[in-house]
Amino acid sequence: MSEDKKLRQLRDRIDQIDEQIGQLISERASCAQEVADVKKAELGTAYASQTFYRPEREAQVLRKAMERNKGPLSNEEMARLFREIMSACLALEQPIKVAFLGPEGTFTQQAALKHFGHSAVAMPFSAIDEVFREVEAGAVNYGVVPVENSTEGVVNHTLDNFMTSNLKICGEVELRIHQNLLISDVTDVKSITRIYSHAQSLAQCRKWLDAHYPKAERVAVSSNAEAAKRLKGEWNAAAIAGGMAAELYELKILAEKIEDEPDNSTRFLIIGTESVPASGDDKTSLVVAMRNEPGALHNLLEPFHRHDIDLTRVESRPSRTGAWTYVFFIDFSGHAGDPVVSKVLKEVSSRAADLKLLGSYPKAVL
């Protein structure tokens, strides 16, 4: 068989498979519409105010897609395909409105689209406080905020907002962070004397900047996207930002993946108003205020150790209620509805001055 004939046969087979995939996606979308019709009949006038996104259900679907995957696509690529299909189908019921820390082109926007898919309506806001307010006011269904970076630590402003907000954590996103050096069409590459970026991104690229632009001024701005926006018209400046910002603001990537740590990643939280049922592989977050006494931290953590619960993060922050007192933000594996976890939470609450459950939610799938 000639190579041309073999290629034609393979392409014909791909066309047949594409037709089948298209039919199945349409069938799935029709089922989603039927679900919407059932809910509309059940809820009546209350239908318009309901949110039909189910974090635990979507996490289960994505995990099953990864478990069934036999290659050659990676598990993550397979899950991303299913994420976009689910996003489009859910939009037939009711598009999800999501607030994120903007402007457009930030890693937080990238995290929002990774979690909710491109059929969600993503809306940028200039501060973490504003994202919390928009969700609290009901103007959007969910918010996406950064909480910690693997090399630069926690985002304190996000933690501080949880101390005064009644919102709950409904999910998490882990995003691999690749930093790039961007220039505009008017940049003189040999005359770069100023580099814009967010303070954390400048810190994440410190060694690379020391080696390649030791004399350039490093200017911290509110976000990487803001840094990218500033380049238009500045012939002697560059910016550090992600690929989304480069594409959005029509900039050229002069150097790729300039972050100092190869495993640099950031964790984002999904905030909303409802509690999330167990998905089978969950995480719980809480904030605990302890009495200022010897052994307070040991007393706080001991029940987790005794019941073999995996603590994934413990972070202290100054309390706003008194000088030299602290609260602890704790993440651990498990759901608040689990009998063992429920028992531990009751024990910890009895030892603490105050305990606030921030939410139980599916561990990041993507």
Side-chain angles (χ1 to χ4, degrees), residues 41-54:
E42 179 183 340
L43 296 170
T45 56
Y47 174 84
S49 61
Q50 295 294 310
T51 301
F52 299 110
Y53 172 70
R54 293 273 304 278

PDB file of all heavy atoms in Angstrom, residues 41-54:
ATOM      1  N   ALA A  41     -38.876  22.926  36.061  1.00  0.00           N
ATOM      2  CA  ALA A  41     -40.220  22.501  36.467  1.00  0.00           C
ATOM      3  C   ALA A  41     -40.300  22.326  37.979  1.00  0.00           C
ATOM      4  O   ALA A  41     -41.325  22.631  38.598  1.00  0.00           O
ATOM      5  CB  ALA A  41     -40.583  21.196  35.761  1.00  0.00           C
ATOM      6  N   GLU A  42     -39.206  21.863  38.573  1.00  0.00           N
ATOM      7  CA  GLU A  42     -39.186  21.605  40.009  1.00  0.00           C
ATOM      8  C   GLU A  42     -39.105  22.896  40.818  1.00  0.00           C
ATOM      9  O   GLU A  42     -39.762  23.049  41.847  1.00  0.00           O
ATOM     10  CB  GLU A  42     -37.984  20.712  40.339  1.00  0.00           C
ATOM     11  CG  GLU A  42     -37.838  20.387  41.815  1.00  0.00           C
ATOM     12  CD  GLU A  42     -36.594  19.555  42.096  1.00  0.00           C
ATOM     13  OE1 GLU A  42     -36.075  18.930  41.146  1.00  0.00           O
ATOM     14  OE2 GLU A  42     -36.147  19.533  43.242  1.00  0.00           O
ATOM     15  N   LEU A  43     -38.315  23.861  40.323  1.00  0.00           N
ATOM     16  CA  LEU A  43     -38.037  25.075  41.093  1.00  0.00           C
ATOM     17  C   LEU A  43     -38.968  26.233  40.755  1.00  0.00           C
ATOM     18  O   LEU A  43     -39.128  27.159  41.555  1.00  0.00           O
ATOM     19  CB  LEU A  43     -36.578  25.505  40.872  1.00  0.00           C
ATOM     20  CG  LEU A  43     -35.518  24.533  41.378  1.00  0.00           C
ATOM     21  CD1 LEU A  43     -34.143  24.959  40.879  1.00  0.00           C
ATOM     22  CD2 LEU A  43     -35.527  24.466  42.895  1.00  0.00           C
ATOM     23  N   GLY A  44     -39.539  26.211  39.593  1.00  0.00           N
ATOM     24  CA  GLY A  44     -40.444  27.296  39.195  1.00  0.00           C
ATOM     25  C   GLY A  44     -39.710  28.622  39.075  1.00  0.00           C
ATOM     26  O   GLY A  44     -38.646  28.718  38.452  1.00  0.00           O
ATOM     27  N   THR A  45     -40.257  29.671  39.704  1.00  0.00           N
ATOM     28  CA  THR A  45     -39.664  31.011  39.593  1.00  0.00           C
ATOM     29  C   THR A  45     -38.308  31.102  40.280  1.00  0.00           C
ATOM     30  O   THR A  45     -37.523  32.008  39.997  1.00  0.00           O
ATOM     31  CB  THR A  45     -40.607  32.058  40.210  1.00  0.00           C
ATOM     32  OG1 THR A  45     -40.894  31.697  41.568  1.00  0.00           O
ATOM     33  CG2 THR A  45     -41.905  32.147  39.420  1.00  0.00           C
ATOM     34  N   ALA A  46     -38.008  30.163  41.198  1.00  0.00           N
ATOM     35  CA  ALA A  46     -36.717  30.181  41.898  1.00  0.00           C
ATOM     36  C   ALA A  46     -35.579  29.684  41.007  1.00  0.00           C
ATOM     37  O   ALA A  46     -34.411  29.814  41.372  1.00  0.00           O
ATOM     38  CB  ALA A  46     -36.791  29.329  43.157  1.00  0.00           C
ATOM     39  N   TYR A  47     -35.915  29.153  39.835  1.00  0.00           N
ATOM     40  CA  TYR A  47     -34.904  28.579  38.943  1.00  0.00           C
ATOM     41  C   TYR A  47     -33.841  29.601  38.566  1.00  0.00           C
ATOM     42  O   TYR A  47     -32.644  29.296  38.548  1.00  0.00           O
ATOM     43  CB  TYR A  47     -35.583  28.041  37.680  1.00  0.00           C
ATOM     44  CG  TYR A  47     -34.624  27.547  36.620  1.00  0.00           C
ATOM     45  CD1 TYR A  47     -34.100  26.259  36.679  1.00  0.00           C
ATOM     46  CD2 TYR A  47     -34.255  28.372  35.559  1.00  0.00           C
ATOM     47  CE1 TYR A  47     -33.219  25.804  35.713  1.00  0.00           C
ATOM     48  CE2 TYR A  47     -33.374  27.925  34.588  1.00  0.00           C
ATOM     49  CZ  TYR A  47     -32.863  26.650  34.666  1.00  0.00           C
ATOM     50  OH  TYR A  47     -31.996  26.197  33.705  1.00  0.00           O
ATOM     51  N   ALA A  48     -34.279  30.836  38.271  1.00  0.00           N
ATOM     52  CA  ALA A  48     -33.352  31.853  37.774  1.00  0.00           C
ATOM     53  C   ALA A  48     -32.271  32.211  38.778  1.00  0.00           C
ATOM     54  O   ALA A  48     -31.181  32.640  38.406  1.00  0.00           O
ATOM     55  CB  ALA A  48     -34.126  33.116  37.371  1.00  0.00           C
ATOM     56  N   SER A  49     -32.546  32.040  40.056  1.00  0.00           N
ATOM     57  CA  SER A  49     -31.587  32.436  41.089  1.00  0.00           C
ATOM     58  C   SER A  49     -30.698  31.287  41.554  1.00  0.00           C
ATOM     59  O   SER A  49     -29.835  31.477  42.408  1.00  0.00           O
ATOM     60  CB  SER A  49     -32.332  33.005  42.307  1.00  0.00           C
ATOM     61  OG  SER A  49     -33.189  32.026  42.869  1.00  0.00           O
ATOM     62  N   GLN A  50     -30.904  30.098  40.974  1.00  0.00           N
ATOM     63  CA  GLN A  50     -30.136  28.935  41.413  1.00  0.00           C
ATOM     64  C   GLN A  50     -28.802  28.825  40.661  1.00  0.00           C
ATOM     65  O   GLN A  50     -28.672  29.267  39.526  1.00  0.00           O
ATOM     66  CB  GLN A  50     -30.946  27.654  41.179  1.00  0.00           C
ATOM     67  CG  GLN A  50     -32.208  27.574  42.017  1.00  0.00           C
ATOM     68  CD  GLN A  50     -31.917  27.459  43.492  1.00  0.00           C
ATOM     69  OE1 GLN A  50     -31.123  26.625  43.923  1.00  0.00           O
ATOM     70  NE2 GLN A  50     -32.546  28.310  44.282  1.00  0.00           N
ATOM     71  N   THR A  51     -27.807  28.233  41.327  1.00  0.00           N
ATOM     72  CA  THR A  51     -26.541  27.904  40.692  1.00  0.00           C
ATOM     73  C   THR A  51     -26.476  26.396  40.518  1.00  0.00           C
ATOM     74  O   THR A  51     -26.660  25.651  41.475  1.00  0.00           O
ATOM     75  CB  THR A  51     -25.354  28.377  41.552  1.00  0.00           C
ATOM     76  OG1 THR A  51     -25.458  29.785  41.739  1.00  0.00           O
ATOM     77  CG2 THR A  51     -24.044  28.055  40.867  1.00  0.00           C
ATOM     78  N   PHE A  52     -26.224  25.946  39.296  1.00  0.00           N
ATOM     79  CA  PHE A  52     -26.296  24.522  39.015  1.00  0.00           C
ATOM     80  C   PHE A  52     -24.923  23.871  38.886  1.00  0.00           C
ATOM     81  O   PHE A  52     -24.810  22.705  38.542  1.00  0.00           O
ATOM     82  CB  PHE A  52     -27.128  24.275  37.760  1.00  0.00           C
ATOM     83  CG  PHE A  52     -28.536  24.763  37.930  1.00  0.00           C
ATOM     84  CD1 PHE A  52     -28.988  25.872  37.234  1.00  0.00           C
ATOM     85  CD2 PHE A  52     -29.399  24.133  38.810  1.00  0.00           C
ATOM     86  CE1 PHE A  52     -30.278  26.335  37.414  1.00  0.00           C
ATOM     87  CE2 PHE A  52     -30.684  24.579  38.991  1.00  0.00           C
ATOM     88  CZ  PHE A  52     -31.136  25.690  38.287  1.00  0.00           C
ATOM     89  N   TYR A  53     -23.894  24.632  39.179  1.00  0.00           N
ATOM     90  CA  TYR A  53     -22.552  24.073  39.204  1.00  0.00           C
ATOM     91  C   TYR A  53     -22.389  23.207  40.453  1.00  0.00           C
ATOM     92  O   TYR A  53     -22.691  23.640  41.564  1.00  0.00           O
ATOM     93  CB  TYR A  53     -21.527  25.212  39.196  1.00  0.00           C
ATOM     94  CG  TYR A  53     -20.105  24.759  39.405  1.00  0.00           C
ATOM     95  CD1 TYR A  53     -19.439  24.032  38.427  1.00  0.00           C
ATOM     96  CD2 TYR A  53     -19.419  25.081  40.575  1.00  0.00           C
ATOM     97  CE1 TYR A  53     -18.138  23.619  38.611  1.00  0.00           C
ATOM     98  CE2 TYR A  53     -18.118  24.681  40.767  1.00  0.00           C
ATOM     99  CZ  TYR A  53     -17.476  23.942  39.785  1.00  0.00           C
ATOM    100  OH  TYR A  53     -16.189  23.532  39.977  1.00  0.00           O
ATOM    101  N   ARG A  54     -21.936  21.978  40.270  1.00  0.00           N
ATOM    102  CA  ARG A  54     -21.756  21.033  41.381  1.00  0.00           C
ATOM    103  C   ARG A  54     -20.276  20.680  41.470  1.00  0.00           C
ATOM    104  O   ARG A  54     -19.803  19.797  40.732  1.00  0.00           O
ATOM    105  CB  ARG A  54     -22.586  19.779  41.133  1.00  0.00           C
ATOM    106  CG  ARG A  54     -24.095  19.987  41.161  1.00  0.00           C
ATOM    107  CD  ARG A  54     -24.648  19.866  42.557  1.00  0.00           C
ATOM    108  NE  ARG A  54     -24.291  18.587  43.139  1.00  0.00           N
ATOM    109  CZ  ARG A  54     -24.939  17.436  42.912  1.00  0.00           C
ATOM    110  NH1 ARG A  54     -25.985  17.409  42.099  1.00  0.00           N
ATOM    111  NH2 ARG A  54     -24.548  16.322  43.492  1.00  0.00           N
TER     112      ARG A  54
END
